[in-house]
Amino acid sequence: MSHDGHMSLNVEHLPTRTLPAEKPLRLLDNAGHAVSGESTGGFSLPDVETLLDLYRKMVVARRFDVQVTALTKQGRLATYPSAFGQEGCEIGAVASLDAVDWLFPTYRDSIALLTRGIAPGEILQSFRGDWHNGYDQHAYRTAAQATPLATQALHAVGLAHAARLRHDPIVALTFIGDGATSEGDTHEAFNFAAVWQTPTVFVVQNNQYAISVPLARQTRAATLADKAVGYGMPGFHVDGNDVAAMYAVTTAAVERARAGGGPTLVEGVTYRIESHTNSDDPTRYRSSREVEHWKRRDPIERLEKYLVSEGALTESLRADITDAAEDLAAATREVMTVEAELDPLELFDHVYSRPRAALAEQRAFLEAELAEAAQEAGR
Ligand SMILES: Cc1ncc(C[n+]2csc(CCOP(=O)(O)OP(=O)(O)O)c2C)c(N)n1
Ligand SMILES: [Mg+2]
């Protein structure tokens, strides 16, 4: 009994957590030392060649991200959600996929698209406001970047389910934000994936915020990986700034899904260093002390320390990687400073599969206006 006479539960004795490890699983600590024992969760460090490849991908991705943020400040893009600081999650997860697998990304995940081989100009077309989606989704097996939160999770489950019915051994991996785990669509995606045992890997990027809403106001779950337990799928709570751990865990999840073992939830604990988008002022809801704390846990620096201590990252290799990153930044600047030649009438394409009278009328109206304007300009 509590002091006011009501029955109360003894909260201390209730289990606050179930399966996933309380401390995030990691293979490299923040100082770049290989970790052993329980916190590895039984996973082993990928070989040095793989780690060097992950390092190169992260360095190139960050240079791209920084360049695009700068171009956005110059007004070359309408908006850009940066993934600065989240490279461990983004690159570790995407590198675990085969070319036949599908990726279902969000607005946050442009660097994952880059790692998948999509050209900067194609990735950024929609952020510039030029076109709905600038890349061939089928060629890259990468769906459009979803802005309506968590809708992409359902699409990933649907595609994976269809693949399974067709005995097509492919996997669908989708990114979900910490805030998006509160969406009904996430619940439906998790549940259908588990019930149907679809080959889906859910990578929750817990970057601590949904715009200004911190994780503590999002959920009372001990970890977001704990949510997996209630759906009957494995959940892993991973240090998202340890690309080696993210890669090892997502690779295992992808292999398990491909072998018919069903879905897995992987939570990567990370931090968004930049603002939510260029229209957000993060100083209104988080301290610079907190940002500095996370900057000291940088995913690229951590792997770099390890590779240098192993003698694997030589000065000439580092110079090669920097050159590749600078070349990509230059190509990105070049493509984004060329004004796109747009046909306003394309606005009416791909809206309905069959023409609609009202739309045809509006199209004819605009066509006449454009013709008139062209005639006036010619006078
Ligand atoms: C269904 C839906 N509701 C609201 C929004 C507006 N919105 C855009 S981003 C965002 C925060 C999402 O946070 P999180 O899922 O943690 O992803 P992050 O931006 O941190 O990558 C919100 C609420 C939206 N895009 N879609
Ligand atoms: Mg978030």
Side-chain angles (χ1 to χ4, degrees):
M1 297 283 255
S2 65
H3 67 277
D4 58 2
H6 292 290
M7 283 293 287
S8 68
L9 291 170
N10 191 345
V11 176
E12 286 90 333
H13 293 124
L14 283 179
T16 53
R17 55 183 348 283
T18 31
L19 261 181
E22 190 161 0
K23 279 176 75 181
L25 188 157
R26 61 165 58 136
L27 300 176
L28 288 177
D29 68 15
N30 192 42
H33 298 132
V35 169
S36 57
E38 212 179 295
S39 48
T40 65
F43 288 92
S44 23
L45 199 60
D47 60 50
V48 165
E49 279 309 305
T50 304
L51 292 176
L52 276 173
D53 185 50
L54 292 169
Y55 175 76
R56 172 187 286 268
K57 288 181 163 117
M58 288 200 295
V59 170
V60 171
R62 175 164 297 177
R63 183 66 189 90
F64 172 75
D65 192 275
V66 168
Q67 183 60 69
V68 179
T69 295
L71 287 163
T72 308
K73 287 179 179 162
Q74 291 167 19
R76 293 283 170 192
L77 288 101
T79 186
Y80 180 66
S82 163
F84 194 117
Q86 298 182 211
E87 295 86 354
C89 289
E90 300 266 1
I91 309 307
V94 168
S96 74
L97 293 176
D98 281 350
V100 293
D101 298 328
W102 271 81
L103 174 68
F104 287 82
T106 78
Y107 52 85
R108 178 77 55 212
D109 310 317
S110 297
I111 61 169
L113 272 60
L114 183 80
T115 308
R116 202 110 169 99
I118 306 179
E122 294 186 0
I123 297 169
L124 299 174
Q125 241 179 34
S126 60
F127 289 120
R128 188 149 91 157
D130 287 353
W131 193 231
H132 310 293
N133 178 231
Y135 50 91
D136 183 336
Q137 296 179 30
H138 288 271
Y140 294 106
R141 298 213 164 192
T142 301
Q145 289 179 269
T147 297
L149 301 178
T151 51
Q152 75 285 353
L154 287 168
H155 302 158
V157 174
L159 183 131
H161 184 51
R164 187 149 182 258
L165 293 177
R166 290 163 55 165
H167 303 290
D168 199 353
I170 66 168
V171 175
L173 184 147
T174 183
F175 287 114
I176 304 171
D178 48 303
T181 61
S182 301
E183 288 286 341
D185 281 4
T186 299
H187 159 66
E188 288 160 19
F190 286 178
N191 198 48
F192 273 117
V195 170
W196 289 339
Q197 289 289 283
T198 68
T200 316
V201 178
F202 301 104
V203 176
V204 174
Q205 291 197 77
N206 174 5
N207 66 3
Q208 315 297 327
Y209 287 92
I211 314 182
S212 56
V213 178
L215 188 69
R217 308 246 326 251
Q218 197 67 249
T219 184
R220 287 295 296 239
T223 77
L224 293 173
D226 281 32
K227 297 194 176 216
V229 178
Y231 293 95
M233 65 176 155
F236 291 94
H237 182 219
V238 184
D239 182 337
N241 286 7
D242 176 5
V243 70
M246 282 303 293
Y247 176 78
V249 175
T250 48
T251 299
V254 166
E255 279 171 10
R256 184 172 185 274
R258 202 184 309 285
T264 301
L265 193 166
V266 181
E267 173 191 2
V269 181
T270 184
Y271 195 78
R272 157 170 64 72
I273 298 290
E274 277 281 349
S275 50
H276 172 73
T277 66
N278 45 310
S279 63
D280 167 50
D281 174 8
T283 63
R284 295 181 63 178
Y285 56 83
R286 62 185 197 183
S287 67
S288 54
R289 229 175 122 227
E290 182 185 293
V291 180
E292 289 310 314
H293 169 88
W294 280 94
K295 277 187 177 166
R296 289 193 296 274
R297 279 147 191 80
D298 187 82
I300 299 181
E301 282 175 23
R302 183 186 308 199
L303 181 56
E304 190 170 302
K305 283 178 199 157
Y306 175 76
L307 290 171
V308 168
S309 73
E310 290 292 298
L313 186 62
T314 58
E315 275 314 309
S316 75
L317 194 52
R318 204 200 290 255
D320 276 359
I321 295 173
T322 307
D323 285 352
E326 286 308 321
D327 287 351
L328 182 89
T332 305
R333 285 194 299 274
E334 196 161 323
V335 72
M336 295 313 286
T337 44
V338 174
E339 290 297 337
E341 279 184 31
L342 301 172
D343 178 2
L345 288 172
E346 280 186 349
L347 193 66
F348 299 98
D349 294 345
H350 314 297
V351 180
Y352 291 104
S353 57
R354 276 174 290 144
R356 312 282 293 196
L359 218 56
E361 204 178 302
Q362 289 174 33
R363 190 183 191 285
F365 183 79
L366 180 63
E367 198 168 17
E369 275 207 336
L370 290 170
E372 203 179 313
Q375 214 172 28
E376 272 177 26
R379 257 189 232 139

